[in-house]
Amino acid sequence: MSGFDWPGLMRAGMRGLGLKPAEFWGLTPAELRLLLGENTGSAPMGRTRLDELMAAFPDISGKGSE
């Protein structure tokens, strides 16, 4: 077993990105990762961090806001 989810990668590349088969197979793994957005931006926020932010910046209910 190769460890790669080839069907999933092919769906992401061809359906998701609209690549033609030759374009998909012509990519290096690094190029495919870049196109799929892997390792870009920040990690998803977990519940602990959300709770910290909610405590630091609570919603303030005031006149006219609900």
Side-chain angles (χ1 to χ4, degrees):
M1 197 165 226
S2 69
F4 285 147
D5 176 13
W6 287 112
L9 288 173
M10 291 170 67
R11 274 191 303 278
M14 291 183 222
R15 278 193 202 159
L17 297 173
L19 299 172
K20 295 179 177 131
E23 294 169 331
F24 173 83
W25 291 110
L27 293 171
T28 66
E31 291 168 332
L32 183 57
R33 273 197 311 264
L34 180 69
L35 289 172
L36 292 174
E38 188 175 317
N39 298 328
T40 60
S42 59
M45 184 183 317
R47 182 65 200 200
T48 301
R49 182 64 180 138
L50 176 60
D51 289 340
E52 292 169 355
L53 289 171
M54 289 170 57
F57 303 100
D59 289 339
I60 300 172
S61 60
K63 193 175 185 179
S65 64
E66 289 184 17

